[in-house]
């Protein structure tokens, strides 16, 4: 069994996280419950930030908060000196409510609404990452109308697409995001922006994929973008000052995943960029990155209570939990794999194979297939590991199931940071019928 971060097993044979008994957490806050190990989040954040510092490179490490957005996580991000990415007015609002320094917020998205753009200007955020020509037009109007400056990057597709274990390079990238680097779109966007008074063009952004396990694809993307910066420098004298290489650093969900340490990703990236700028004789830009999953993924654990079971003779033993695809859509959506354990039976022999089914009305609502566990009974607490990214943030109210509680643990302390959705919460937006015959 693989334990993450500060996880351990106490004398009662219970899982502990951050020095807190997981069974006690389940009793205190109920299940399903997301538990975040703050020490592990901080360790990951420092792994990225400190490596840039050691390499003497000006950098911003922006937490891609779509992975898990809540007031408290923005506050921890602020404590650690991270910047944050938001992709909607809702995430921006949450970050502002958290008191997150607005100058370190970056706004992404391929269809930011006019209201969202106004919201970004009014909050004086750090930068908008422009995705398309329509957005350039609207931003110019808004900035002129407000007579207000805004730093901007353009998102480009460098023709490098990384997937878990390999990557492909393509001439044109068929993507809904960004300006193509090779077909003239990025150049056109640059021409429209670099002399702008209110929109302060700083450089380029690219994001090449997710759950990436090697550094080569990042280096290749960096090289392509730096080459473009050098080309613009040569033709116009303009020196871009920001190179944002996005997120996508891989994490360990199961034993099949072998991620690199944050320091390794950053080191290789910095080397690749330095080499290229030296060869081309341009100044080293600031390097920005945007880890999401790799900051919160393995810091998160979900606790469920086991309920019913079903034996399909000679085929499968099902156990059912009190959550499922409403709090973790990834197995149904991406065929994602997870590991788990019975938090109250950590020292017992895992001699039975189960499939863990959720309680939602979909046959595909299975969280883990074929997991070895000790003999499971109703009332046991099932922990699924590495659920901190894209679990809560993709949670739904399908079947009118309330979204789970979220709890932070650190140094033997625990704190509720997102309340469980109650039955009253589930109907609070509903209005009674007034149309028709009464
Ligand atoms: C989703 C996303 C990220 C974060 O990706 P992870 O795989 O969670 O690290 C970073 N940047 C952009 C633009 C994204 O869309």
């Amino acid at each position: 069994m693989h334990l993450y971060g500060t996880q351990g097993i106490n004398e009662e044979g219970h899982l502990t996280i951050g020095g807190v008994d997981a069974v006690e957490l389940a009793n205190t806050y109920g299940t399903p419950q997301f538990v975040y190990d703050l020490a592990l989040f901080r360790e990951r954040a420092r792994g990225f930030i400190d490596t840039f510092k050691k390499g003497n490179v000006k950098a911003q490490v922006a937490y891609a908060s779509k992975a898990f957005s809540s007031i408290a996580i923005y506050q921890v991000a602020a404590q650690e000196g991270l910047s944050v990415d938001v992709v909607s007015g809702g995430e921006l609002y949450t970050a502002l409510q958290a008191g997150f320094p607005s100058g370190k917020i970056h706004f992404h998205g391929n269809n930011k609404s006019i209201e969202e753009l106004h919201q970004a200007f009014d909050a004086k955020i750090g930068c908008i990452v422009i995705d398309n020509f329509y957005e350039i037009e609207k931003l110019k109007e808004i900035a002129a109308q407000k007579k207000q400056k805004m730093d901007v990057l353009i998102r480009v597709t460098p023709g490098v697409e990384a997937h878990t274990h390999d990557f492909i390079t393509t001439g044109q990238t068929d993507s809904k995001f960004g300006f193509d680097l090779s077909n003239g779109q990025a150049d056109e966007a640059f021409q429209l922006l670099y002399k702008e008074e209110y929109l302060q063009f700083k450089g380029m952004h690219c994001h090449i994929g997710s759950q990436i396990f090697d550094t080569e694809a990042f280096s290749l993307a960096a090289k392509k973008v730096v080459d473009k910066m050098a080309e613009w420098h040569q033709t116009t004298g303009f020196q871009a000052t920001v190179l944002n290489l996005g997120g996508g650093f891989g994490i360990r969900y199961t034993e099949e995943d072998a991620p690199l340490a944050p320091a390794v990703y950053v080191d290789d990236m910095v080397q690749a960029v330095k080499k290229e700028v030296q060869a081309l004789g341009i100044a080293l830009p600031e390097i920005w990155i945007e880890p999401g999953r790799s900051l919160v993924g393995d810091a998160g654990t979900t606790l469920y209570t086991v309920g019913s079971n079903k034996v399909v003779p000679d085929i499968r033993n099902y156990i059912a939990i009190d959550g499922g695809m409403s709090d973790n859509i990834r197995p149904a959506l991406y065929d994602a794999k997870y590991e788990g354990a019975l938090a109250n039976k950590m020292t017992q022999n895992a001699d039975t194979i189960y499939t863990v089914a959720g309680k939602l009305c979909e046959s595909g609502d299975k969280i883990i297939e074929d997991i070895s566990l000790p003999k499971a009974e109703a009332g046991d607490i099932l922990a699924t590991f590495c659920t901190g990214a894209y679990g809560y943030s993709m949670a739904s109210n399908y079947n009118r199931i309330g979204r789970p509680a979220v709890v932070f643990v650190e140094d033997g302390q625990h704190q509720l940071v997102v309340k469980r959705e109650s039955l009253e919460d589930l109907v609070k937006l509903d209005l009674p019928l007034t149309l028709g015959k009464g």
Side-chain angles (χ1 to χ4, degrees):
M1 185 187 326
H2 184 92
L3 296 179
Y4 293 89
T6 64
Q7 287 173 346
I9 299 169
N10 66 14
E11 281 162 11
E12 286 120 294
H14 293 177
L15 174 69
T16 61
I17 312 172
V20 184
D21 187 320
V23 177
E24 191 189 306
L25 288 172
N27 290 336
T28 306
Y29 302 107
T31 57
Q33 174 188 152
F34 283 91
V35 183
Y36 282 85
D37 175 357
L38 284 195
L40 187 54
F41 177 87
R42 295 187 201 280
E43 182 187 323
R44 297 279 182 257
R46 289 170 196 175
F48 288 113
I49 292 173
D50 293 350
T51 311
F52 281 114
K53 278 194 190 143
K54 270 187 218 139
N56 228 342
V57 178
K58 272 197 158 177
Q60 282 194 43
V61 178
Y63 167 47
S65 66
K66 68 176 196 264
F68 170 58
S69 173
S70 74
I71 284 179
I73 197 75
Y74 288 115
Q75 291 173 331
V76 183
Q79 286 177 349
E80 291 303 320
L82 293 161
S83 301
V84 298
D85 285 354
V86 298
V87 295
S88 71
E91 286 180 1
L92 174 55
Y93 180 77
T94 309
L96 295 171
Q97 289 295 304
F100 195 87
S102 64
K104 293 170 79 173
I105 300 176
H106 312 156
F107 202 154
H108 277 286
N110 70 314
N111 189 23
K112 304 174 190 80
S113 71
I114 305 302
E115 292 74 25
E116 286 173 327
L117 294 175
H118 276 281
Q119 200 184 342
F121 272 86
D122 294 343
K124 300 193 166 61
I125 68 163
C127 128
I128 292 179
V129 183
I130 303 179
D131 193 272
N132 51 66
F133 292 111
Y134 173 78
E135 191 177 341
I136 294 179
E137 216 175 281
K138 291 299 149 195
L139 277 174
K140 280 187 180 181
E141 284 170 22
I142 293 169
Q145 181 193 327
K146 291 185 183 291
K147 296 193 173 32
Q148 190 184 331
K149 289 190 176 171
M150 175 63 73
D151 285 356
V152 298
L153 304 180
I154 57 169
R155 178 169 182 164
V156 298
T157 44
V160 179
E161 234 184 279
H163 304 279
T164 304
H165 289 292
D166 55 1
F167 64 90
I168 48 168
T169 54
T170 53
Q172 307 270 80
T173 310
D174 180 7
S175 165
K176 75 168 184 176
F177 294 111
F179 302 95
D180 195 286
L181 201 59
S182 58
N183 72 359
Q185 288 181 347
D187 301 291
E188 196 182 333
F190 169 69
Q191 289 297 335
L192 288 169
L193 286 166
Y194 83 101
K195 290 183 199 154
E196 273 292 303
E197 185 195 346
Y198 291 120
L199 301 181
Q200 301 271 304
F201 180 73
K202 296 291 174 188
M204 279 179 274
H205 165 276
C206 64
H207 173 71
I208 57 174
S210 272
Q211 189 63 350
I212 302 168
F213 287 123
D214 63 52
T215 59
E216 215 181 329
F218 289 108
S219 300
L220 193 60
K223 182 178 176 326
K224 291 193 174 204
V225 179
V226 170
D227 288 356
K228 185 56 84 179
M229 285 180 173
E231 189 188 315
W232 292 343
H233 181 61
Q234 219 167 32
T235 52
T236 67
F238 179 87
Q239 173 72 58
T241 52
V242 175
L243 168 62
N244 186 329
L245 292 170
F249 313 106
I251 62 171
R252 183 198 180 284
Y253 285 102
T254 70
E255 62 197 351
E256 278 158 38
D257 302 326
L260 302 170
V264 178
Y265 287 108
V266 171
D267 260 336
D268 278 28
M269 200 177 256
V270 167
Q271 292 320 315
V273 175
K274 280 187 173 167
K275 192 172 145 209
E276 199 64 11
V277 298
Q278 270 156 20
L280 297 168
I282 58 169
L284 181 68
E286 288 186 25
I287 302 176
W288 295 6
I289 57 168
E290 307 174 323
R293 188 190 314 270
S294 53
L295 285 175
V296 286
D298 57 6
T301 303
T302 310
L303 303 178
Y304 299 103
T305 302
V306 175
S308 65
N309 65 79
K310 175 182 173 178
V311 177
V312 185
D314 303 326
I315 298 182
R316 205 174 278 287
N317 289 333
Y318 284 101
I319 50 173
I321 50 172
D322 53 355
M325 64 191 290
S326 51
D327 58 74
N328 188 356
I329 191 76
R330 295 187 70 259
L333 198 58
Y334 310 121
D335 204 21
K337 305 280 184 264
Y338 287 89
E339 291 175 353
L342 293 180
N344 56 322
K345 295 180 176 174
M346 296 297 283
T347 49
Q348 292 185 21
N349 213 0
D351 54 6
T352 314
I353 296 176
Y354 293 102
T355 285
V356 179
K359 65 177 281 165
L360 290 292
C361 293
E362 288 283 331
S363 304
D365 179 29
K366 292 177 237 169
I367 294 294
I368 304 177
E369 279 187 64
D370 298 332
I371 178 179
S372 298
L373 295 174
K375 188 156 175 28
E377 297 155 292
D380 284 342
I381 303 299
L382 179 83
T384 54
F385 299 118
C386 208
T387 57
Y390 308 107
Y392 190 85
S393 66
M394 288 188 169
S396 75
N397 291 130
Y398 181 49
N399 292 171
R400 286 249 149 165
I401 288 177
R403 285 173 298 167
V406 183
V407 172
F408 283 2
V409 293
E410 188 167 36
D411 294 333
Q413 315 273 353
H414 49 95
Q415 188 214 329
L416 182 67
V417 297
V418 185
K419 288 191 260 184
R420 175 180 313 288
E421 237 169 353
S422 66
L423 294 176
E424 298 77 47
D425 290 334
L426 289 170
V427 295
K428 76 172 180 252
L429 303 178
D430 286 21
L431 300 169
L433 179 72
T434 57
L435 284 179
K437 303 182 191 107

